[in-house]
Amino acid sequence: MSEPPAVSDVTALKERVRELVDGDLPRLVALSEALHADPETAWDEHRSAARLCDALADRGLAVTPRYLGFETAFLATAGSGPVRIGVCAEYDALPGLGHACGHNLIAAIAVGVASALAPVADRLGITLEVYGTPAEEGGGGKIELLDRGAFAGLDLAVMAHPGPVDVAEARPFAVAHTHVRYDGKAAHAGAYPEEGVNANDAFVVAQVAIGLLRQQLPHSARVHGIQTVGGQAPNAIPDRTEGRWYVRAETLAELAGIEEKVNRCFEAGALASGAALTITPESKPYSEFRNDERALAFYRANAGALGRVFDTSGSGAMNRASTDMGNVSQVVPAIHPYIGVNSLPATNHQPEFAAACVGPHAEKALRDAAVALAQTVVDVVRASS
């Protein structure tokens, strides 16, 4: 085993990566703002992916677009050391809400980490791998990439997610995303109602059943959704209704049992109305998160040294939101801290939060997260050498 690195070497490297982020900050902010102004939803992030590929190429990384056959995924690499460090970028927006979850910042933070680590990759003895991961908002992009071999063998995977306040430890729920459809029979609602099979009634019965089911669910479970198709006219019995539903639980194992109960509620709607039910998963389930405790401790120390203050009250925390990064964490060591943009009372998935993901507080969050993650990589690699 090699001798532990000198403290002065670690200190110098951490100071160097901070200088590199600070020197690149104007361009990183411009990238974040460009993504924010041009939001694209899951699997359609063509312009966003191109911007990020160009940004990483400009910083000296070797870029592979359309990674593993996915049009809006990419891989960018630098260095050739034995320790493999993965940095995840997300850049999909929410339908109708733009970047109300701050993925413009996630992407810019990832580029900032690359700006900091690529120039010192050989000195650190790492291979830096920046993964462009589409479709986090319900599409399970990282899971699809995992299934094709991405992330395998990484020594550490990192990313940071904006929230109202700083929280270091990710504790997301496992989640299943489901498309629900009922097919009935159209008829004139006034003249010939007996000839119809009301697909909208099926959804009403199912939602009432789900509401009653909540009494018997664990306190941590979440069941929620929207009806996306509800009929065409009030005087025509709806022959087709559709919706999108999420079921969340503490773990994948717990999720399986709860999802079965929820599906029975949808079956009840079909039975009561006579409509035919089709349930289709929108992605593979997202897993709970497994934090790498050593890396998380280093992140806490580095973020704290930058003046970040972690929220311990739970008020405004984002760390329970589900993410497909949880699936990555089941395969390789990973951390997924949350960086505050000082948005309260606005929280993620609100228009006001989208507005908070640009401006001075967002810029400080971008800078601090990039620095803290890059310094954490230095700590982890040097502590292991």
Side-chain angles (χ1 to χ4, degrees):
M1 181 178 293
S2 61
E3 290 294 319
V7 173
S8 59
D9 183 46
V10 174
T11 302
L13 275 167
K14 291 170 71 171
E15 177 62 18
R16 178 60 180 149
V17 299
R18 183 197 64 75
E19 291 172 349
L20 288 164
V21 172
D22 285 343
D24 200 24
L25 189 57
R27 289 199 302 164
L28 295 172
V29 169
L31 174 63
S32 173
E33 290 176 343
L35 294 169
H36 189 275
D38 187 19
E40 298 172 292
T41 54
W43 299 117
D44 288 324
E45 318 95 326
H46 297 281
R47 295 182 301 278
S48 300
R51 283 189 174 99
L52 291 165
C53 287
D54 289 345
L56 290 161
D58 287 347
R59 288 158 176 84
L61 283 80
V63 178
T64 302
R66 295 178 293 282
Y67 180 54
L68 296 178
F70 295 105
E71 284 295 314
T72 57
F74 62 82
L75 175 66
T77 63
S80 57
V83 180
R84 293 176 55 208
I85 301 297
V87 183
C88 289
E90 297 172 4
Y91 34 90
D92 58 326
L94 288 158
L97 288 170
H99 278 294
C101 209
H103 290 195
N104 61 302
L105 286 171
I106 296 174
I109 289 165
V111 175
V113 175
S115 294
L117 293 179
V120 299
D122 290 332
R123 181 177 170 187
L124 265 176
I126 67 171
T127 298
L128 176 66
E129 304 175 19
V130 181
Y131 290 86
T133 63
E136 190 277 336
E137 293 288 358
K142 293 184 191 65
I143 305 172
E144 297 296 328
L145 288 166
L146 273 167
D147 287 347
R148 297 193 186 185
F151 313 108
L154 289 179
D155 293 281
L156 180 66
V158 304
M159 63 172 288
H161 196 300
V165 296
D166 283 67
V167 180
E169 182 181 8
R171 294 182 56 228
F173 293 109
V175 63
H177 310 94
T178 302
H179 181 271
V180 178
R181 172 171 173 159
Y182 290 105
D183 287 288
K185 181 181 178 183
H188 193 293
Y192 313 108
E194 71 279 5
E195 296 185 10
V197 176
N198 196 316
N200 194 56
D201 286 354
F203 249 118
V204 172
V205 171
Q207 292 191 65
V208 170
I210 290 169
L212 295 171
L213 174 66
R214 287 190 177 99
Q215 299 172 90
Q216 277 74 53
L217 294 180
H219 74 280
S220 58
R222 306 283 191 272
V223 184
H224 51 92
I226 59 170
Q227 192 171 335
T228 56
V229 177
Q232 304 298 321
N235 60 348
I237 289 175
D239 64 346
R240 177 172 63 90
T241 53
E242 298 182 33
R244 302 179 65 212
W245 284 80
Y246 290 5
V247 180
R248 303 181 197 259
E250 289 283 359
T251 64
L252 284 175
E254 183 181 70
L255 177 66
I258 294 173
E259 190 177 15
E260 182 179 348
K261 294 177 180 180
V262 172
N263 286 347
R264 287 203 295 266
C265 294
F266 289 118
E267 291 166 4
L271 180 64
S273 66
L277 169 66
T278 304
I279 297 177
T280 307
E282 293 187 331
S283 73
K284 294 180 180 178
Y286 290 18
S287 173
E288 68 272 20
F289 198 90
R290 180 184 298 165
N291 287 280
D292 184 82
E293 295 299 334
R294 182 177 66 162
L296 193 61
F298 282 131
Y299 177 83
R300 283 193 178 100
N302 288 316
L306 295 171
R308 308 301 303 191
V309 177
F310 294 107
D311 180 87
T312 57
S313 68
S315 174
M318 175 64 179
N319 67 324
R320 301 246 59 193
S322 304
T323 171
D324 56 4
M325 188 68 171
N327 299 69
V328 176
S329 79
Q330 301 298 319
V331 178
V332 299
I335 60 171
H336 184 285
Y338 297 82
I339 192 83
V341 296
N342 195 35
S343 65
L344 290 175
T347 56
N348 297 66
H349 291 208
Q350 295 180 328
E352 296 83 359
F353 189 83
C357 286
V358 291
H361 293 295
E363 293 167 17
K364 187 174 190 327
L366 192 171
R367 179 263 185 187
D368 289 350
V371 171
L373 286 177
Q375 291 180 336
T376 296
V377 170
V378 172
D379 283 327
V380 168
V381 173
R382 284 315 206 198
S384 302
S385 63

